[in-house]
Amino acid sequence: MAGRYDVIVLGAGAAGMMCAIRAGQRGRSVLVLDHAAAPGEKIRISGGGRCNFTNIHAGPKNFISANPHFAKSALARFAPRDFLSMVESHGIAWHEKTLGQLFCDNSAKDIIVMLTDEMRSAGVELRLRTEISAVEPVIGGGYRVSTSEGTFEAASLVIATGGKSIPKMGATGFAYRIAEQFGLPLVETRPGLVPLTLDPQLLQRLAPLSGIAAPAEIRHGKTAFREALLFTHRGLSGPAILQISSYWREGDEITVAIEPDIDIFVMLKTARQANGRQSAQTALADILPKRLAQHFAENEGMSGNMADQGDKRLQQLAAAVQAWPVKPSGSEGYRTAEVTLGGVDTACLDSRTMQVKTVPGLFFIGECVDVTGWLGGYNFQWAWASGHVAGEAA
Ligand SMILES: Cc1cc2nc3c(=O)[nH]c(=O)nc-3n(C[C@H](O)[C@H](O)[C@H](O)COP(=O)(O)OP(=O)(O)OC[C@H]3O[C@@H](n4cnc5c(N)ncnc54)[C@H](O)[C@@H]3O)c2cc1C
């Protein structure tokens, strides 16, 4: 005999738990299944252990999708303020770090405890360490889920098993297989919010810079992000690179501008006038970390005194620092990517409910859907919003 519920949610991550809470609050009997030993594992490791749980400025412009309008409805129905109200009602201390990014003061675990408490209050049943072997529609309506812990049936089935990023933490691509099983279209998946790698030659030249961070603007076509850039022993990282990585495609070039708020050409000319006997490297080191200044000065062959450098040479040096074309060789891939771009094509989903238009009772929410946020709390906001609207309808 199969256990019967109104709603089965596959995946006890951010989206799945939020959906289960809302459905349970509506009086639906809800079962959440997950193969992991604990719920919300990605929440636990997020935001450096403090969970950047939302962004107060979150809007459709902060998301990447084949249909940029799709996310509007869910984001409007469950806004950052709504999640913040829940956080505050649980007495969780929080702060805004930068750019509207809200973090827990203490620990990301506070958010997990909040969600599991809310699930309990809403009467949701959570079963962990449960391997899912098959999902099938039941004749006459509803779905049957076969698992290592038995068979369960429900009128509504919500797929909230996330994307492919960090396979070590149990990411499986399960949602895409279910989508394929039901004949639903997928948008090609690729790693997002991920460090970019460099070819061995360039990497060797940049090796002395490993560990250095600097404010930068990274551009790819018309898209640009101003945040920190970090040189690593594999290539380039830091928030600015993670952001642009979601737009970058294999073979593309990006443009790096270090210290974009400073006009380096003007700064160099002023330095030459003030002290013609200093080297370009010394002048640059006034605004750049020393090793970075050395790298650019040497690379541009800037030896001798500033007084000996004409405007053209200073312009060349400034351009090297602020219009530096870099062709990454690849990315670190799903191993370290914070998110998966692409996924279940939004064209097959109702944006108000996340239900599959052609398959009544089947829902996809969270990261497995082709809606991917920027770095900065946007991905959790999408998980909460899409989970909430599905929980209203499932
Ligand atoms: C290191 C890191 C830091 C991050 N920091 C932030 C941050 O600070 N702010 C932010 O907004 N976003 C952050 N993100 C992104 C964010 O974690 C995800 O976008 C979000 O967790 C997606 O929620 P989800 O519920 O869709 O999927 P997930 O949270 O991935 O949950 C999916 C659940 O499904 C389960 N599951 C998967 N496959 C199966 C299967 N076959 N059978 C049973 N269960 C299965 C998993 O065990 C998991 O519990 C971070 C991501 C990473 C990797």
Side-chain angles (χ1 to χ4, degrees), residues 61 95 156 159 168 187 189 213 249 275 282 304 345 349 373:
K61 65 180 187 311
H95 62 279
S156 296
I159 311 297
K168 227 169 62 187
V187 173
T189 52
R249 301 278 186 152
N275 178 3
T282 308
D345 192 335
L349 303 176

Side-chain angles (χ1 to χ4, degrees), residues 11-16 34-36 42 45-47 51-52 130 132 160-162 166 170 172 174 337-339 365-367 377-380 383:
D34 201 300
H35 63 177
K42 280 208 180 144
I45 60 158
S46 68
C51 186
N52 179 191
T130 303
I132 295 148
T161 48
I166 324 258
T172 55
F174 176 85
E338 285 200 12
V339 287
I365 58 173
E367 194 178 321
Y378 302 102
N379 284 296
F380 278 136

